[in-house]
C-alpha cells in the first residue's frame, strides 16, 4: 500500500497522464497510468505537477521590514542602503525570527520550498546570523534554508569584515559570500575574491558573491571570480549573483568572458525584479534594463537561476515569495519569448536553482524526495502566464499547503456564470 499516489499529472517536461507513487517520503515510481492502492490518491486532472520552486537569492534578515523606521521615498539602492543602516540598530532577535517565519509561511503556500538567503555579517553582535540560524533549524521540516555569510559593508572596507564573516561560518553558516564591487578599489575587490575563494576551498564551502551589481561596464570582478574558482578548484561550486555590469559591457569583451565563466563552471543568479528597478538610475534615455545576459549565459551551458532578492524591505516595497512572478519578469526583461526560452524561465526558478544550491534528492524521478507542487495550469508556460494557483504543495509526501482554484462569478447576460482562469 502506497502512502500517496498522484494520478493524471502533466510534468514540466511535457509528459502527460503521469502517475507519481510515494512511499516513506520518497518518490518510488514515475510512470504513465499507474493504478495502485494508496492511503491518499490525488487526481491531478491533467494539470501541471512540478518539483517545488527554489529561490537562489534572497535576504531573509531584511524581508518584511518595509516602512521601518521609514519608507524608501526615492526607491533607490543608495537610500535603501542608508535605510538598512538606520534600521540595523533597532533589530531584535525575536523580531527577525518572527518576520522570517512569516515569510517562510508565505513561501510554503506558494510552493517555494528551498531558499538561499544571504545574511548580513557586518554586525559585531552577529544578531542577524544568530536569528537566521534559529530559523533554519525551525523551518527544516518543511523548507530548506541555505545561508550565505554576506559582508554587506565590505570584507576589507569594513572594520573586522573578514573576522565577522569567519565567525558566522564558524557558527554554521553554509556558504561564503562577498561584495567585491563595494570594496574601496578594483584591486581590493579582486583581493577580497582571492581571500574568500581560498577560505571556501580550505573549509569545503560553496561561494555565492554579490558581484558587479553596477551599471559600470568596467566592473569586471566576475572575471576574477572565474579565475579564482579554477585556481583553487571550486568549479561548479561558485555563484556570481547579479552580474548586472555584464548588461553594459562591451560585446567583444563579453565574447571572451562568457567562455571563461563556462570553463570555471560558474553558476549565475539574475534578480530581474530588483535589477530592472535599481539599475539604470543614472541613465536618461535610452535607459538600460540592467539584468545580466541570461540567454547568452544559458546558451554557453551555464546554470542560470532567477532570484527574488528582496520582499518588502529597505530596497523594494513589493514582492510576495511568488517565484512565478520572478520568472514572469525575467522572461520579459530578457526578451525570452521563444518556446524554448519560456520553458527555460520556468527551469530558472525550479531545476536550475536546485542544482546551484546542491539540493539532494530534488526532482520528479524515482528516488527523489516526494516534494512537489500541483499548479492550476496545463504546462510550464501557462504557469508563468497565470502566476498559477498552487492547488497543493507536498513536502516528503505530506501535504503542507493548499489553495483553491481561482474562480470568478460573472454577472453577465448570455455568458457563463463561473469563469475559471485557465
Ligand atoms: Fe542580494
Amino acid at each position: 500500500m502506497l502512502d500517496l499516489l498522484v494520478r493524471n499529472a502533466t510534468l514540466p517536461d511535457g509528459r502527460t497522464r503521469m502517475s507519481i507513487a510515494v512511499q516513506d517520503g520518497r518518490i518510488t515510481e514515475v510512470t504513465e497510468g499507474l493504478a495502485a492502492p494508496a492511503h491518499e490518491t490525488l487526481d491531478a486532472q491533467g494539470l501541471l505537477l512540478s518539483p517545488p520552486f527554489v529561490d537562489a537569492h534572497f535576504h531573509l534578515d531584511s524581508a518584511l521590514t518595509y516602512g521601518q523606521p521609514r519608507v524608501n521615498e526615492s526607491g533607490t539602492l543608495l537610500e535603501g542602503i542608508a535605510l538598512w543602516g538606520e534600521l540595523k540598530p533597532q533589530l531584535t532577535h525575536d523580531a527577525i525570527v518572527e518576520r522570517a517565519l512569516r515569510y517562510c509561511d508565505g513561501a510554503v503556500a506558494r510552493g517555494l520550498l528551498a531558499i538561499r538567503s544571504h545574511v548580513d555579517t557586518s554586525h559585531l553582535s552577529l544578531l542577524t546570523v544568530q536569528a537566521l540560524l534559529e530559523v533554519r533549524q525551525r523551518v527544516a521540516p518543511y523548507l530548506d534554508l541555505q545561508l550565505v555569510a554576506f559582508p554587506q559593508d565590505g570584507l576589507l572596507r569594513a572594520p573586522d569584515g573578514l573576522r565577522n564573516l569567519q565567525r558566522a561560518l564558524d557558527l554554521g553558516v553554509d556558504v561564503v559570500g562577498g561584495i567585491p564591487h563595494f570594496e574601496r578599489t578594483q584591486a581590493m575587490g579582486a583581493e577580497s575574491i582571492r581571500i574568500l575563494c581560498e577560505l571556501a576551498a580550505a573549509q569545503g564551502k560553496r561561494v555565492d558573491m554579490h558581484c558587479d551589481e553596477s551599471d559600470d561596464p568596467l566592473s569586471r570582478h566576475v572575471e576574477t571570480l572565474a579565475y579564482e574558482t579554477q585556481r583553487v578548484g571550486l568549479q561548479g561550486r561558485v555563484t556570481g549573483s547579479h552580474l548586472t555590469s555584464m548588461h553594459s559591457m562591451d560585446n567583444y569583451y563579453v565574447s571572451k568572458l562568457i567562455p571563461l565563466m563556462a570553463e570555471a563552471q560558474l553558476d549565475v543568479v539574475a534578480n530581474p525584479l530588483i535589477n530592472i528597478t535599481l539599475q539604470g538610475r543614472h541613465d536618461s534615455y535610452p535607459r538600460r534594463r540592467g539584468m545580466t545576459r541570461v540567454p547568452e549565459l544559458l546558451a554557453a551551458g551555464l546554470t542560470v537561476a532567477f532570484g527574488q532578492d528582496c520582499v518588502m524591505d529597505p530596497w523594494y516595497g513589493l514582492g510576495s515569495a511568488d517565484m512565478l512572478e520572478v520568472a514572469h519578469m525575467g522572461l520579459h526583461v530578457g526578451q525570452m519569448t521563444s518556446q524554448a526560452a519560456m520553458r527555460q524561465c520556468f527551469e530558472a526558478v525550479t531545476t536550475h536553482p536546485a542544482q546551484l544550491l546542491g539540493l539532494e534528492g530534488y526532482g520528479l524521478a524515482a528516488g527523489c524526495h516526494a516534494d512537489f507542487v500541483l499548479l492550476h495550469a496545463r504546462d510550464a508556460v501557462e504557469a508563468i502566464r497565470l502566476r498559477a494557483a498552487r492547488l497543493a504543495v507536498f513536502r516528503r509526501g505530506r501535504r503542507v499547503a493548499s489553495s483553491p482554484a481561482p474562480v470568478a462569478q460573472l454577472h453577465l447576460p448570455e455568458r457563463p456564470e463561473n469563469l475559471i482562469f485557465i
Side-chain angles (χ1 to χ4, degrees), residues 57 59 118 210 242 271 309:
H57 188 111
H59 294 263
H118 295 253
H210 285 66
H242 288 296
N271 296 298
D309 202 5

Side-chain angles (χ1 to χ4, degrees), residues 91-158:
L91 293 172
T92 66
H93 179 97
D94 290 350
I96 297 168
V97 170
E98 185 277 325
R99 280 193 297 263
L101 289 176
R102 194 151 39 90
Y103 183 82
C104 290
D105 292 343
V108 169
R110 290 172 180 86
L112 168 56
L113 299 186
I115 298 173
R116 174 182 277 184
S117 174
H118 295 253
V119 51
D120 188 351
T121 59
S122 300
H123 317 251
L124 191 61
S125 67
L126 294 185
L127 178 77
T128 48
V129 173
Q130 304 273 12
L132 289 196
L133 284 168
E134 180 184 327
V135 172
R136 185 180 68 182
Q137 188 199 344
R138 287 175 66 173
V139 303
Y142 53 87
L143 187 147
D144 295 307
L145 179 59
Q146 197 175 81
L147 298 177
V148 185
F150 174 45
Q152 170 94 61
D153 298 339
L155 184 81
L156 304 173
R157 183 170 173 170

Side-chain angles (χ1 to χ4, degrees), residues 10-162:
T10 297
L11 304 187
D13 62 13
R15 283 180 289 167
T16 57
R17 293 185 293 279
M18 299 302 289
S19 297
I20 291 90
V22 173
Q23 190 77 51
D24 299 326
R26 294 260 179 188
I27 296 172
T28 55
E29 198 176 349
V30 177
T31 189
E32 192 179 330
L34 175 72
H39 290 294
E40 183 186 353
T41 299
L42 174 66
D43 182 359
Q45 299 184 332
L47 296 172
L48 178 66
L49 191 82
S50 168
F53 296 105
V54 181
D55 185 357
H57 188 111
F58 195 59
H59 294 263
L60 197 51
D61 49 2
S62 53
L64 306 184
T65 61
Y66 192 71
Q68 298 177 25
R70 60 183 177 83
V71 299
N72 183 336
E73 291 292 345
S74 65
T76 59
L77 174 63
L78 286 181
E79 188 175 341
I81 292 171
L83 200 47
W84 180 234
E86 291 170 36
L87 177 59
K88 272 200 241 186
Q90 300 178 20
L91 293 172
T92 66
H93 179 97
D94 290 350
I96 297 168
V97 170
E98 185 277 325
R99 280 193 297 263
L101 289 176
R102 194 151 39 90
Y103 183 82
C104 290
D105 292 343
V108 169
R110 290 172 180 86
L112 168 56
L113 299 186
I115 298 173
R116 174 182 277 184
S117 174
H118 295 253
V119 51
D120 188 351
T121 59
S122 300
H123 317 251
L124 191 61
S125 67
L126 294 185
L127 178 77
T128 48
V129 173
Q130 304 273 12
L132 289 196
L133 284 168
E134 180 184 327
V135 172
R136 185 180 68 182
Q137 188 199 344
R138 287 175 66 173
V139 303
Y142 53 87
L143 187 147
D144 295 307
L145 179 59
Q146 197 175 81
L147 298 177
V148 185
F150 174 45
Q152 170 94 61
D153 298 339
L155 184 81
L156 304 173
R157 183 170 173 170
D160 292 325
L162 177 56

Side-chain angles (χ1 to χ4, degrees), residues 170-234:
D170 292 343
L171 287 171
V173 170
D174 308 281
V175 178
V176 175
I179 186 163
H181 57 278
F182 190 70
E183 304 294 348
R184 283 199 172 86
T185 65
Q186 293 273 10
M188 290 180 85
E191 175 70 356
S192 77
I193 294 170
R194 185 187 64 76
I195 292 169
L196 291 164
C197 285
E198 284 184 359
L199 193 146
Q203 300 184 17
K205 303 275 192 187
R206 291 174 184 265
V207 175
D208 187 340
M209 290 190 200
H210 285 66
C211 191
D212 300 323
E213 189 180 3
S214 159
D215 292 318
D216 176 6
L218 297 178
S219 185
R220 294 176 170 186
H221 292 296
V222 61
E223 177 187 80
T224 307
L225 187 61
Y227 173 76
E228 291 296 336
T229 296
Q230 280 192 299
R231 187 180 69 81
V232 301
L234 280 174

